[in-house]
Amino acid sequence: MPDAALALPRLIAHRGLSARAPENTLAAVRAAHGVGVDWVELDVQLLGDGTPVIWHDAGLRRCSDRRGRLADLDLAAARRLDAGGWFGEAFRGEPMATLTEMLALLNELDMGVNLELKVNRGRDPRALVAAAVPAVMEALPPSRRLLSSFNDAALAHARALAGPEALSLGVLFEGIGRDWRRRCEAVEACSVHADWKRLKAPRAREVTAAGYRLLCYTANDPLAFAPRWAWGVEAVISDDPPRFMG
């Protein structure tokens, strides 16, 4: 249920300021901070050697100069990737960020994070949680951390691992189905995260009336999104949050 310690903002930068910098990189987080956004949404998963890194896809091709699977890399191989040149020449040589490096930057900038536990096909949710969740809980205060996932097993293991400590969890949905409350209650979630285009007013009001915090992803058109604020949406996750400012 709702976590009063969680200082959730109105605007969250999706994978960092991904409209203006390569997604899920240290550069994208610095860019978000540079435009006055205090929180970022990022993805974490494991390299083949068990190192948690900030990365979305199962593969490397879309966001680097390499092909292949993330699961086949160790940290030494990951260090040789260029995770920025695909986006623009100014970012050539940008490294893949480890979770440790990203947490250090978030603390340096006093930023919060909605960290998605990204469980791609064939990957072990328990291993990801064991590697990532304790590190996040140690590095950031409860007010600046929210862990979310589409994967119920990852969320359940995170809840079990946290024990009595404060840990804000969010359940990710595309469309919010009829079983949304069961899924949230099973992991003691505090928030529901929905695809903004598939969110309907009755379900949104049902979620907020039950006391859950409602976030929407990935909205980039402030005018099209505007009616949803009245439905009780608390935060929007956007590739370009400055469009929603002012």
Side-chain angles (χ1 to χ4, degrees):
M1 286 301 290
D3 187 345
L6 182 64
L8 203 61
R10 188 174 174 87
L11 300 175
I12 300 173
H14 182 239
R15 303 179 195 169
L17 193 62
S18 56
R20 308 188 191 185
E23 66 177 59
N24 275 321
T25 61
L26 300 171
V29 172
R30 292 190 184 99
H33 182 263
V35 297
V37 176
D38 296 327
W39 271 60
V40 290
E41 184 271 351
L42 302 169
D43 303 284
V44 66
Q45 55 179 313
L46 300 182
L47 297 176
D49 66 2
T51 303
V53 293
I54 306 302
W55 199 258
H56 178 274
D57 295 1
L60 305 172
R61 182 174 182 176
R62 185 175 64 86
C63 293
S64 84
D65 60 346
R66 291 271 301 276
R67 298 188 180 188
R69 300 190 314 152
L70 189 77
D72 293 334
L73 295 184
D74 59 16
L75 182 57
R79 292 294 190 199
R80 295 193 290 270
L81 285 179
D82 176 359
W86 67 273
F87 188 89
E89 193 62 34
F91 298 100
R92 188 164 301 282
E94 179 71 23
M96 177 186 290
T98 65
L99 176 61
T100 299
E101 291 165 341
M102 186 60 77
L103 291 172
L105 179 61
L106 292 170
N107 270 326
E108 176 189 330
L109 301 177
D110 195 28
M111 296 179 74
V113 65
N114 170 195
L115 187 67
E116 181 181 344
L117 300 167
K118 193 72 182 178
V119 184
N120 282 311
R121 182 175 297 178
R123 306 306 303 274
D124 181 0
R126 294 177 66 90
L128 173 60
V129 168
V133 172
V136 176
M137 293 181 67
E138 181 178 354
L140 301 176
S143 61
R144 292 198 284 120
R145 52 172 160 84
L146 171 62
L147 300 178
S148 62
S149 189
F150 285 103
N151 188 283
D152 290 346
L155 291 171
H157 189 46
R159 176 56 66 207
L161 189 65
E165 294 190 55
L167 180 62
S168 299
L169 295 179
V171 182
L172 274 160
F173 297 86
E174 291 178 350
I176 303 176
R178 293 180 179 179
D179 67 340
W180 72 268
R181 191 160 187 169
R182 176 195 60 78
R183 291 184 62 197
C184 290
E185 290 176 347
V187 297
E188 300 175 51
C190 73
S191 58
V192 169
H193 304 224
D195 181 339
W196 79 276
K197 291 182 178 178
R198 298 182 65 174
L199 183 66
K200 305 300 183 185
R203 188 72 81 202
R205 294 186 174 117
E206 181 182 336
V207 168
T208 57
Y212 291 91
R213 306 174 86 159
L214 180 58
L215 293 78
C216 282
Y217 67 89
T218 305
N220 296 317
D221 184 338
L223 291 178
F225 184 82
R228 288 154 182 82
W229 294 117
W231 302 353
V233 174
E234 183 173 353
V236 65
I237 300 169
S238 175
D239 296 325
D240 201 4
R243 296 185 63 185
F244 287 80
M245 296 176 177

